[in-house]
Amino acid sequence: MQHVVVIGSQWGDEGKGKIVDWLSDRADVVVRFQGGHNAGHTLVIDGVTYKLALLPSGIVREDKISVIGNGVVVDPQALLREIEAVEKLGVKVTPDNLKIAENACLILPVHPQLDAAAEALRGSEKIGTTGRGIGPAYEDKIARRAIRVCDLEDEDVLKYKINRMLSHHNALLEASGLEPFTAEALLDVLRDVAPKILPFAQPVWRLLQEYKQSGKRILFEGAQGAMLDNDFGTYPYVTSSNTHSGTAASGAGLGPNALNYILGITKAYTTRVGSGPFPTELQDEVGQRLGERGHEFGTNTGRKRRCGWFDAVMVRQAIKISGIHGIAFTKLDVLDGFEELKICVGYRLNGEVLDYLPASEKAQTEVEPIYETLPGWSDSTFGARSWADLPARAVKYIRRVEELIECPVALLSTSPKREDTILVRDPFAIG
């Protein structure tokens, strides 16, 4: 039975939420496998807008099972607020349709404070985090001092682990001139959330094995994008987890042999939130036009996104690293009305032409894009549901992108609405 992994092929914000929602109609189980509540996914269904962060996109469908895997760092208070918000929109969330990995690590109130302190200490070299404590929570996980979902069952364990954690973190907070946390304050929070979170806790790895063996189709939903990967992204301006496709296996507890098809969500132009290199960034009226037409503001943070031309070099690199089989091309309609469009086909660095983005932070900052210019189109692509509805020049643009990134288009999204999607190749039907 086919299982599909969905990841972003750029710097996130590619429109993964809508595509995952569309694919979840064909899936039985939808799994989040990395990241935290810093990554927002927006779904527009029957005129209702759902803004999700921790909850998998499949939660809005009654007959699907949603899973938060061990690779996700979970802010229990944020999760409970999100559950409350979607329930007000008519979505039922119960232990029957939501499972949380018992070995997932928690984000505690101390972590956002640490995030803010670290960013303040960086001064002008801020990474541009969302300030939600994602990074510090992952640091605790790697340093083996994290508190996990399963720890909520035993208050004695919580007391011991909280004291051990705070002995480390309070030193940094005091050095930054911030008020240290008390163990009792954190314990009060966890006492409150424990009975509300524990009913969802499960050995998710075991459940996924059962789902796989029983023939259920599993959809793995990634957060952020490939170029924010902690190893292969624009380091240090990256997220604190691995965002490439292989993380779906380690972040959910299902072996890599279950990852049958990798779909890369790819925006028709390029955006980025926060600091870091951006070779094709446009700081002119064209960039402003892309931002305004694309409504480029963060789902969760409201932060304005930086905009630029499509970078085929970067996307091709992400495709190779993640083994992407096909892309879902999104926001093509934002390019409607441009007289000409540019695609980055290479970089120039110190007189040398490169066909990849180098790892060095200095080199990433200094590369200059080499552009190829294509004619734009005046007709609208918004809401198109077949290739016949697309202007010839739009089709030509798509075909040229396919050639440059060396990967075919599997899906084409022409609006935020679920039904405005052109299916080229069904990821769940490709063996």
Side-chain angles (χ1 to χ4, degrees):
M1 184 61 66
Q2 190 83 349
H3 309 303
V4 175
V5 181
V6 172
I7 60 169
S9 67
Q10 294 155 306
W11 278 298
D13 308 309
E14 301 97 347
K16 291 183 291 297
K18 181 250 175 101
I19 299 299
V20 171
D21 169 63
W22 191 89
L23 287 170
S24 67
D25 185 44
R26 291 160 165 75
D28 302 296
V29 183
V30 183
V31 184
R32 275 285 311 274
F33 58 85
Q34 50 77 221
H37 63 306
N38 55 339
H41 292 173
T42 301
L43 313 178
V44 181
I45 302 166
D46 298 328
V48 180
T49 299
Y50 302 88
K51 293 187 177 183
L52 307 178
L54 274 170
L55 290 172
S57 296
I59 200 70
V60 300
R61 294 182 181 269
E62 292 183 6
D63 57 342
K64 310 300 176 184
I65 298 170
S66 291
V67 175
I68 296 176
N70 57 276
V72 178
V73 285
V74 179
D75 183 325
Q77 293 175 302
L79 177 59
L80 292 171
R81 288 194 298 270
E82 190 173 335
I83 290 173
E84 182 182 2
V86 298
E87 286 185 333
K88 287 180 179 178
L89 295 173
V91 176
K92 182 180 287 187
V93 181
T94 73
D96 291 329
N97 68 345
L98 176 64
K99 318 290 183 180
I100 303 175
E102 61 184 2
N103 55 336
C105 295
L106 298 178
I107 299 174
L108 304 180
V110 67
H111 291 126
Q113 284 275 44
L114 292 164
D115 217 346
E119 279 286 76
L121 289 172
R122 293 185 186 107
S124 61
E125 298 180 351
K126 286 181 173 64
I127 291 175
T129 75
T130 59
R132 301 194 173 195
I134 313 297
Y138 273 115
E139 287 180 34
D140 277 351
K141 178 178 180 178
I142 299 304
R144 294 163 292 187
R145 57 175 172 259
I147 292 173
R148 304 194 296 177
V149 172
C150 56
D151 296 329
L152 295 174
E153 295 177 329
D154 191 320
E155 188 165 315
D156 289 335
V157 169
L158 285 178
K159 288 177 181 178
Y160 169 74
K161 288 195 169 187
I162 287 172
N163 282 315
R164 184 177 61 177
M165 174 190 288
L166 290 182
S167 67
H168 176 84
H169 291 323
N170 278 340
L172 175 60
L173 290 173
E174 290 174 346
S176 303
L178 297 173
E179 193 72 25
F181 272 79
T182 66
E184 192 61 30
L186 292 186
L187 191 57
D188 283 345
V189 170
L190 297 180
R191 283 193 189 110
D192 178 60
V193 301
K196 304 170 187 175
I197 294 293
L198 283 173
F200 298 101
Q202 295 281 338
V204 156
W205 67 271
R206 196 164 178 269
L207 289 176
L208 291 175
Q209 293 290 341
E210 293 174 3
Y211 296 152
K212 177 186 173 185
Q213 290 169 8
S214 65
K216 292 186 184 296
R217 289 178 168 181
I218 303 173
L219 180 62
F220 297 89
E221 178 182 10
Q224 289 97 26
M227 298 312 294
L228 290 175
D229 185 89
N230 195 260
D231 287 306
F232 296 104
T234 48
Y235 190 90
Y237 301 97
V238 294
T239 194
S240 297
S241 61
N242 287 112
T243 58
H244 60 71
S245 61
T247 313
S250 59
L254 201 59
N257 63 342
L259 312 183
N260 304 124
Y261 188 91
I262 316 299
L263 181 69
I265 315 302
T266 307
K267 193 180 287 186
Y269 50 102
T270 310
T271 62
R272 175 164 199 168
V273 172
S275 307
F278 187 167
T280 66
E281 182 174 13
L282 297 170
Q283 296 178 319
D284 56 14
E285 66 277 3
V286 175
Q288 184 175 347
R289 183 179 174 188
L290 287 170
E292 291 173 351
R293 296 201 59 187
H295 306 290
E296 295 298 350
F297 297 91
T299 298
N300 280 329
T301 63
R303 291 190 297 176
K304 184 178 180 180
R305 297 173 187 143
R306 301 153 65 191
C307 298
W309 293 121
F310 185 81
D311 190 334
V313 182
M314 183 181 75
V315 173
R316 183 174 64 238
Q317 189 163 322
I319 285 169
K320 302 302 182 186
I321 291 170
S322 272
I324 292 173
H325 297 96
I327 67 166
F329 209 41
T330 65
K331 289 201 167 184
L332 182 68
D333 56 288
V334 174
L335 301 182
D336 293 351
F338 281 87
E339 290 187 10
E340 62 177 30
L341 303 168
K342 293 184 179 182
I343 299 176
C344 176
V345 296
Y347 302 124
R348 187 172 285 107
L349 179 65
N350 299 325
E352 181 183 358
V353 174
L354 303 178
D355 63 356
Y356 69 100
L357 185 65
S360 161
E361 178 185 352
K362 184 173 185 292
Q364 290 176 352
T365 303
E366 294 179 352
V367 293
E368 298 177 3
I370 299 171
Y371 286 119
E372 177 179 303
T373 302
L374 281 75
W377 55 88
S378 56
D379 295 337
S380 173
T381 63
F382 186 84
R385 299 183 185 179
S386 72
W387 286 101
D389 295 333
L390 297 175
R393 288 180 175 179
V395 175
K396 182 178 180 181
Y397 180 81
I398 296 166
R399 296 306 183 204
R400 183 55 179 151
V401 166
E402 289 180 311
E403 291 174 358
L404 291 169
I405 65 175
E406 300 173 12
C407 189
V409 169
L411 292 164
L412 184 65
S413 172
T414 58
S415 94
K417 294 181 180 179
R418 179 188 282 174
E419 58 271 19
D420 292 339
T421 305
I422 300 173
L423 175 63
V424 183
R425 299 171 178 85
D426 186 347
F428 278 114
I430 300 172

